């Protein structure tokens, strides 16, 4: 058992912000944690894992859409703006995950090495359950961070698709850090192994039980009662990584591995794997009947958000961050100027044009009925639910927002620094019952998902369409077509006419592929997906970001707002330049 000074320093540096000085010295002549204390203070062991949780990228909104064709920033110093306009480099990378994720894995490996020696309880069954739960969490988290590292840094180097160096042991001052990158396939195999190990240790969901017969046999044999089980695996553990969350990570990673940029051999079996992993999760919630009717407005379901308690999740959300105190920071960042906001994220005309008509037809289809002189009439209801367009009302006061170039307010196109550059403002994610007026300022609770069930439905739709075609079901009771139809109906599309556009393409795999990708673009907009999706699909990142210039309430003109400057090799992100300088064994992805 390694009990090196390096590890003790690690424990101390991590846990000083978490526990008080009195917790460390009991008493002690110096403010230094004894090297054996972790074995008798289980809160310290759990604190190591908390550090990994705190490094999950989806703990906060990134708005990486501002580096794509979906949005621009009105902050001309914004890192995504700089990235998208030609300044993305291996030593200047706003989407870098290397250091943070590798650090998380280091903490996870320490936990896995030491956890069997930690004394959680004098009751053997309780001690074993806590140990198993934390090990299961650790394996699941290590798989999660592997996924994020492959997404951000996997790529082709020397003609081979590579991942990251695989580290399954904690590193110390005597470790050999100069390790080559493993292949992408080896990394995926390790990810799947970690998920399987997590599933062997974790319940599918954390919940209290009141029947001794429900205690798993291996713990009953140690004498565990229902109350003992609840201590480790009950309601108090909700929002920790569970078996169901581990399965979702497996589905996310499988979709990445099946996608064109990471599936160089075009192996169709990888699509089938992604469909099966996601399909199993969906079957467990009842298939299409498990789809939340309000899942597309999860951020605006204010009564639901305000009344969440006890770690519970809304029906739409599989995993979320902790709901904190009421605040208005997201609104302050993104409300239009007349609502006292900074208007930071400006949706593009490109994205607006991706919303179909309420009839289901794309706006470019001759049957759509789209009117260029009244571009927001008769559209997919999600358009004005997600985006503030000219004439929309917004905020607690239901103020009419005038985004025209000849607007008499600062909400108009390019009026002031905090004005829109595209003719649009963000609505999605924002609580409209927030008031930023200094005289009558108000705050509200917000919810931030890490994984939504809509994402799992869309993973299944994409993978099933590629593996089996639009209407085939594999071993499930629903097809890609069925999922997309349900998502569109939920949004209010085709309710009066049966969605004839969808019906016309349900036998065409390529047309269905394009529709699925578009539905993913809309449903997951501003949640940090578009940048990564374009890259894994091996699609161009260079579509010019556009806006709309409105004059005299009737003259609509599409304008170019911001060029996108990306080279072809940028479908793969770089290994950090600092790491390449330090370690000769590391290969940089081609082009960087």
């Amino acid at each position: 058992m390694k009990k090196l000074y390096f590890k003790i320093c690690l424990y101390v540096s991590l846990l000083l912000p978490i526990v008080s000085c009195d917790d460390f010295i009991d008493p002690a002549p110096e403010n230094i944690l004894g090297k054996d204390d972790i074995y008798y203070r289980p809160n310290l062991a759990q604190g190591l894992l908390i550090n990994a949780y705190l490094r999950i990228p989806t703990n906060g909104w990134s708005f990486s859409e501002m580096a794509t064709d979906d949005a621009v920033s009105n902050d001309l110093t914004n890192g995504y703006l700089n990235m998208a306009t030609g300044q993305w480099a291996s030593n200047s990378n706003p989407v870098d995950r290397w250091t943070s994720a590798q650090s998380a894995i280091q903490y996870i490996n320490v936990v896995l090495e030491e956890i069997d020696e930690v004394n959680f309880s004098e009751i053997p069954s309780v001690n074993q359950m806590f140990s198993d739960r934390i090990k299961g969490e650790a394996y699941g988290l290590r798989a999660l961070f592997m996924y994020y590292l492959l997404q951000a840094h996997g790529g082709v180097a020397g003609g081979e698709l590579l991942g990251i160096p695989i580290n399954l042991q904690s590193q110390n001052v005597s470790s050999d850090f100069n390790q080559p990158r493993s292949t992408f396939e080896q990394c995926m195999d390790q990810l799947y192994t970690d998920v399987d190990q997590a599933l062997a240790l974790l319940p599918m969901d954390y919940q209290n039980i009141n029947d001794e017969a429900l205690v798993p046999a291996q713990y009953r044999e140690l004498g565990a009662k229902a109350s003992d089980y609840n201590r480790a695996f009950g309601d108090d553990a909700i929002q920790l990584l569970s078996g169901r969350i581990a399965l979702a990570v497996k589905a996310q990673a499988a979709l990445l591995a099946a996608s064109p940029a990471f599936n160089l051999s075009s192996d169709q079996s990888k699509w089938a794997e992604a469909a099966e992993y996601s399909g199993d999760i969906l079957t467990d919630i009842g298939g299409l009947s498990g789809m939340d009717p309000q899942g597309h407005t999860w951020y605006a379901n204010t009564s639901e958000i305000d009344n969440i308690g006890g770690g519970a999740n809304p029906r739409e959300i599989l995993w979320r961050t902790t709901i904190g105190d009421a605040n208005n920071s997201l609104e302050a960042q993104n409300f239009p100027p007349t609502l006292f906001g900074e208007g930071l994220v400006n949706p593009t005309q490109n994205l607006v044009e991706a919303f179909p008509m309420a009839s289901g037809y794309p706006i470019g289809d001759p049957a759509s009925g789209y009117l260029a002189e009244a571009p927001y009439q008769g559209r997919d209801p999600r358009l004005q639910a997600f985006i503030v367009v000219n004439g929309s009302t917004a905020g607690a006061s239901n103020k009419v927002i005038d985004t025209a170039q000849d607007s008499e307010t600062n909400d108009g196109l390019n009026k002031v620094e905090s004005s829109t550059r595209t003719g649009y403002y963000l609505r999605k994610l924002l609580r409209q019952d927030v008031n930023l007026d200094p005289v009558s300022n108000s705050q509200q609770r917000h919810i931030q998902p890490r994984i939504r069930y809509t994402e799992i439905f869309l993973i299944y739709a994409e993978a099933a369409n590629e593996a089996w075609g639009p209407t085939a079901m594999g071993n499930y009771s629903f097809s890609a077509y069925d999922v997309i139809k349900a998502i569109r109906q939920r949004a209010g599309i085709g309710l009066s006419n049966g969605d004839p556009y969808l019906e016309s393409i349900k036998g065409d795999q390529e047309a269905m592929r394009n529709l699925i990708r578009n539905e993913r673009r809309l449903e997951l907009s501003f949640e940090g997906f578009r940048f990564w999706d374009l890259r894994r699909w091996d699609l161009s990142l260079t579509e010019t970001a556009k806006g709309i210039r409105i004059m005299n309430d009737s003259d609509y003109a599409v304008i170019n707002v911001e060029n996108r400057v990306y080279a072809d090799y940028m479908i793969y992100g770089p290994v950090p330049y600092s790491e390449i300088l330090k370690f000769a064994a590391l290969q940089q992805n081609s082009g960087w």
Side-chain angles (χ1 to χ4, degrees):
M1 178 66 64
K2 298 178 181 179
K3 300 180 183 178
L4 299 174
Y5 178 75
F6 171 81
K7 290 187 179 180
I8 304 308
C9 291
L10 184 65
Y11 303 154
V12 175
S13 64
L14 164 64
L15 293 165
L16 279 174
I18 298 176
V19 296
S20 71
C21 223
D22 291 339
D23 293 326
F24 277 93
I25 51 176
D26 195 24
E30 297 179 11
N31 189 19
I32 298 175
L33 180 64
K35 67 178 182 179
D36 293 328
D37 281 8
I38 185 171
Y39 303 124
Y40 306 104
R41 297 191 178 189
N43 61 313
L44 305 185
Q46 295 180 70
L48 291 171
L49 208 56
I50 288 172
N51 189 283
Y53 278 105
L54 293 175
R55 294 173 184 272
I56 296 173
T58 51
N59 285 342
W61 298 115
S62 71
F63 294 118
S64 58
E65 289 84 0
M66 295 186 293
T68 75
D69 53 352
D70 272 5
V72 302
S73 172
N74 68 3
D75 175 6
L76 301 184
T77 66
N78 182 273
Y80 292 123
L81 183 153
N82 293 333
M83 175 182 176
T85 53
Q87 298 182 53
W88 191 15
S90 61
N91 62 353
S92 178
N93 184 6
V95 293
D96 174 72
R97 288 172 174 168
W98 188 277
T99 301
S100 181
Q102 295 280 22
S103 296
I105 290 173
Q106 164 73 0
Y107 285 110
I108 289 165
N109 288 340
V110 171
V111 169
L112 290 171
E113 290 167 0
E114 307 293 350
I115 195 66
D116 286 335
E117 300 299 321
V118 177
N119 183 32
F120 291 97
S121 172
E122 296 303 321
I123 303 172
S125 61
V126 173
N127 190 69
Q128 189 63 53
M129 285 188 287
F130 271 105
S131 179
D132 286 352
R133 193 200 77 199
I134 291 177
K135 279 191 285 189
E137 290 177 72
Y139 284 123
L141 286 168
R142 194 164 69 181
L144 178 69
F145 283 105
M146 175 67 83
Y147 164 62
Y148 284 126
L149 283 164
L150 293 178
Q151 185 185 59
H153 302 288
V156 172
E160 188 175 21
L161 185 62
L162 300 181
I164 64 165
I166 297 176
N167 292 314
L168 303 182
Q169 295 180 331
S170 65
Q171 296 172 304
N172 55 54
V173 292
S174 62
S175 296
D176 181 6
F177 292 88
N178 189 27
Q179 296 295 319
R181 296 165 66 188
S182 299
T183 68
F184 187 87
E185 289 298 325
Q186 289 169 335
C187 291
M188 286 297 302
D189 288 343
Q190 182 59 50
L191 186 154
Y192 289 151
T193 296
D194 280 343
V195 168
D196 291 343
Q197 289 178 297
L199 292 172
L201 294 165
L202 296 174
M204 192 58 62
D205 301 295
Y206 296 111
Q207 56 186 1
N208 284 344
I209 61 173
N210 54 19
D211 185 344
E212 310 295 333
L214 296 177
V215 177
Q218 70 268 31
Y219 303 130
R220 279 204 313 273
E221 291 172 0
L222 293 174
K225 302 182 182 302
S227 58
D228 297 326
Y229 177 88
N230 293 341
R231 288 176 62 184
F233 296 116
D235 290 348
D236 287 346
I238 293 175
Q239 300 311 332
L240 298 178
L241 194 141
S242 65
R244 192 178 304 277
I245 293 165
L247 285 175
V249 172
K250 192 174 187 180
Q252 291 173 321
L255 183 72
L256 180 73
S259 300
F262 297 96
N263 186 6
L264 303 185
S265 63
S266 301
D267 183 352
Q268 287 298 105
S269 68
K270 293 184 177 182
W271 286 114
E273 287 180 351
E276 289 162 2
Y277 298 152
S278 54
D280 288 346
I281 297 170
L282 298 177
T283 296
D284 199 48
I285 64 167
L288 296 181
S289 66
M291 184 180 292
D292 184 356
Q294 293 184 300
H296 59 310
T297 57
W298 56 269
Y299 61 93
N301 301 340
T302 56
S303 177
E304 184 176 63
I305 295 169
D306 290 342
N307 291 297
I308 288 177
N313 282 335
R315 183 176 173 183
E316 166 63 10
I317 294 175
L318 170 56
W319 194 24
R320 62 171 174 83
T321 61
T322 300
I323 294 181
D325 296 332
N327 66 82
N328 56 24
S329 58
L330 201 59
E331 289 75 24
Q333 188 179 57
N334 289 289
F335 267 0
T338 61
L339 295 178
F340 303 94
E342 297 172 2
L344 175 67
V345 178
N346 302 162
T348 60
Q349 180 69 16
N350 315 55
L351 176 59
V352 168
E353 291 177 358
F355 289 88
M357 302 298 289
S359 64
Y361 286 102
I363 65 171
D365 191 297
S368 70
Y370 172 75
L371 298 174
E373 63 273 19
Y376 312 125
Q377 291 183 11
R379 299 290 293 278
D380 177 346
R382 290 174 296 187
L383 172 57
Q384 295 211 40
F386 296 172
I387 297 174
V388 174
V389 306
N390 187 51
S392 293
T393 59
S397 61
N398 285 318
K399 183 178 180 62
V400 176
I401 306 301
D402 183 354
T403 68
Q405 188 172 44
D406 56 0
S407 171
E408 296 182 357
T409 75
N410 286 339
D411 295 336
L413 184 72
N414 292 323
K415 288 286 185 176
V416 294
E417 289 183 354
S418 56
S419 301
T420 176
R421 298 173 61 210
T422 62
Y424 302 105
Y425 293 97
L426 180 67
R427 184 190 296 275
K428 188 177 179 182
L429 312 181
L430 310 183
R431 293 266 313 231
Q432 298 302 308
D433 50 354
V434 159
N435 191 341
L436 298 176
D437 189 331
V439 176
S440 54
N441 189 281
S442 68
Q443 302 179 338
Q444 300 292 348
R445 300 178 83 198
H446 297 72
I447 186 168
Q448 179 163 358
R450 290 193 179 115
I451 303 175
R452 292 202 289 130
Y453 277 107
T454 294
E455 180 191 353
I456 307 301
F457 276 107
L458 288 164
I459 289 173
Y460 177 83
E462 182 178 345
N465 182 60
E466 298 296 338
W468 310 315
T471 57
M473 300 181 182
N475 296 320
Y476 303 96
S477 62
F478 44 90
S479 66
Y481 156 80
D482 293 327
V483 168
I484 295 304
K485 183 175 183 178
I487 286 175
R488 284 161 69 90
Q489 285 183 334
R490 180 179 73 177
I493 293 175
L495 298 183
S496 63
N497 62 354
D499 202 348
Y501 178 75
L502 176 61
E503 296 303 314
S504 73
I505 67 165
K506 68 180 182 180
D508 185 333
Q509 186 183 47
E510 182 177 358
M512 185 63 75
R513 176 187 303 130
N514 292 333
L515 182 60
I516 290 168
R517 289 179 176 181
N518 196 67
E519 284 297 316
R520 184 176 172 92
R521 180 182 189 179
L522 303 183
E523 284 283 336
L524 303 181
S525 60
F526 307 109
E527 296 179 49
F529 287 89
R530 180 66 173 170
F531 175 76
W532 307 104
D533 283 343
L534 287 172
R535 293 171 65 244
R536 70 177 176 86
W537 290 329
D538 195 8
L539 296 180
S540 174
L541 291 161
T542 60
E543 183 175 331
T544 299
K546 299 179 179 180
I548 194 79
R549 182 180 63 230
I550 306 171
M551 297 286 291
N552 302 320
D553 293 326
S554 59
D555 180 10
Y556 293 83
V558 175
I559 58 173
N560 291 337
V561 175
E562 195 170 272
N563 291 332
R564 295 285 179 253
V565 183
Y566 291 102
D568 292 344
Y569 64 81
M570 291 178 176
I571 60 165
Y572 307 116
V575 175
Y577 181 63
S578 59
E579 299 297 299
I580 297 294
L581 286 180
K582 287 186 291 187
F583 306 119
L586 280 180
Q587 283 184 279
Q588 180 61 278
N589 289 331
S590 298
W592 293 99

